[in-house]
Amino acid sequence: ESVTAFGCLMSDMWVGEFDCVSPDIFHSVLGKRYPTFSRRTQQDAQEFLICVLNELHEALKKVRAQLCKTGCATNAKASGGSVSETSIITELFEGQLSYDITCLECKTTTNRPEIFTVLSLPIPSQRPCSLQDCLKCFFQQDTLTWNNQIQCSWCGTKQDAAIKCTITRAPQIIIFHLKRFEWQGKRKRKLSADLSYPLSSLDLSAYSSPLCCQDTKYSLCAVVNHSGFLDDGHYTAFCKHSVTENWYSFDDAQITKIPNSSVQTDRAYLLFY
């Protein structure tokens, strides 16, 4: 089972008996559930991450449901929902957005909540920019027109609308996916813009509901980097040791300690705060 293989992988990593640890067994087990990732071909790290989180969540929520039956789990109210639908994955990574949709004809506003585990952020410029620029672009008010019009329940017809979202529940660990791959006409291209991001004190209060998000400052704990092109790339990772707070670079079997200044690169693809 994938969750058992993942547990063994975590154990091997933290025991410290080996200079490096290969995730081959976990990759093989996961590949049986998701055949796309069983092949030795170029795949997307963000898509792989979502599959891993989903697989762990589905397995672990079953364990929690079984514990609940024997009276060993916390009650549903404390967990913020049905015990059978929650897991350590939802507790760590799951957040909620709220979309306020305002009809531009009658000014009626409706609210639509949406659960997320990864926020995919647009890169607004080919020139050097910052993570805050990406966040501003993602959370800015947008207008729905033409084919994107809403069916207004008050007007009874399709109308243009303004839409704006805020974070109404901030996760303990927030994952940002930087959209470095985009369609240009019929061709897909990679955006290699140099993007700066803070190692600590990332403040999300400007994009959060004041009633629901008291502490919205985050520190960076890991980065997934992508170098190369669309069909010929290579992934590496930077991870911060949770005890020593030293940063390490993971490049296949090569693991090296790096200074804080090396964590900033123009290859960042996934950011974990």
Side-chain angles (χ1 to χ4, degrees):
E1 191 179 44
S2 55
V3 70
T4 303
F6 184 80
C8 291
L9 175 61
M10 292 297 101
S11 178
D12 289 343
M13 289 174 64
W14 281 99
V15 166
E17 292 182 357
F18 312 101
D19 291 334
C20 65
V21 176
S22 171
D24 278 350
I25 295 177
F26 173 65
H27 177 260
S28 176
V29 173
L30 193 74
K32 295 177 182 177
R33 289 274 289 121
Y34 301 93
T36 299
F37 300 111
S38 66
R39 299 186 291 271
R40 297 287 180 176
T41 54
Q42 296 286 322
Q43 301 296 335
D44 186 82
Q46 183 240 358
E47 294 175 2
F48 180 75
L49 171 65
I50 290 173
C51 287
V52 170
L53 293 178
N54 182 66
E55 183 70 9
L56 295 179
H57 166 64
E58 290 298 324
L60 293 172
K61 79 174 185 181
K62 293 177 183 177
V63 174
R64 174 165 291 190
Q66 291 170 353
L67 290 173
C68 180
K69 290 179 181 179
T70 59
C72 297
T74 57
N75 62 48
K77 290 183 180 178
S79 63
S82 170
V83 170
S84 62
E85 292 301 318
T86 61
S87 70
I88 186 65
I89 301 301
T90 56
E91 290 176 2
L92 290 177
F93 299 101
E94 189 175 275
Q96 182 175 283
L97 298 174
S98 177
Y99 287 88
D100 288 333
I101 306 171
T102 303
C103 173
L104 295 181
E105 179 65 26
C106 67
K107 309 304 179 185
T108 299
T109 298
T110 56
N111 178 269
R112 192 189 78 206
E114 183 177 290
I115 300 297
F116 73 89
T117 50
V118 179
L119 281 185
S120 291
L121 304 180
I123 298 177
S125 173
Q126 283 280 37
R127 299 185 298 274
C129 55
S130 68
L131 179 60
Q132 285 291 352
D133 293 329
C134 299
L135 288 166
K136 288 177 184 177
C137 187
F138 180 87
F139 285 100
Q140 71 182 356
Q141 181 172 294
D142 199 5
T143 303
L144 303 176
T145 60
W146 298 97
N147 293 333
N148 294 320
Q149 285 183 320
I150 65 164
Q151 181 69 34
C152 179
S153 57
W154 184 262
C155 296
T157 57
K158 285 192 172 184
Q159 299 289 347
D160 291 353
I163 182 169
K164 184 171 175 51
C165 74
T166 56
I167 300 172
T168 50
R169 189 172 77 246
Q172 291 187 47
I173 300 173
I174 190 165
I175 306 170
F176 297 117
H177 162 233
L178 304 175
K179 297 170 74 171
R180 290 197 177 274
F181 304 104
E182 70 170 16
W183 288 99
Q184 189 176 46
K186 295 183 178 181
R187 301 183 63 183
K188 208 174 186 182
R189 63 168 183 164
K190 181 181 177 183
L191 301 177
S192 300
D194 194 353
L195 190 142
S196 61
Y197 41 91
L199 302 191
S200 62
S201 300
L202 173 66
D203 190 356
L204 298 180
S205 60
Y207 317 108
S208 306
S209 166
L211 298 176
C212 304
C213 305
Q214 300 299 320
D215 186 8
T216 50
K217 287 190 176 181
Y218 290 84
S219 293
L220 189 68
C221 58
V223 182
V224 172
N225 305 296
H226 180 272
S227 57
F229 306 98
L230 288 173
D231 301 317
D232 182 20
H234 180 61
Y235 285 110
T236 60
F238 299 149
C239 298
K240 186 179 182 180
H241 196 289
S242 59
V243 179
T244 66
E245 296 194 345
N246 293 322
W247 280 93
Y248 292 87
S249 169
F250 295 80
D251 186 352
D252 291 340
Q254 185 175 358
I255 298 98
T256 54
K257 183 179 176 181
I258 60 174
N260 289 7
S261 58
S262 297
V263 179
Q264 285 273 353
T265 78
D266 60 357
R267 301 183 298 277
Y269 185 54
L270 295 170
L271 301 173
F272 295 75
Y273 278 91

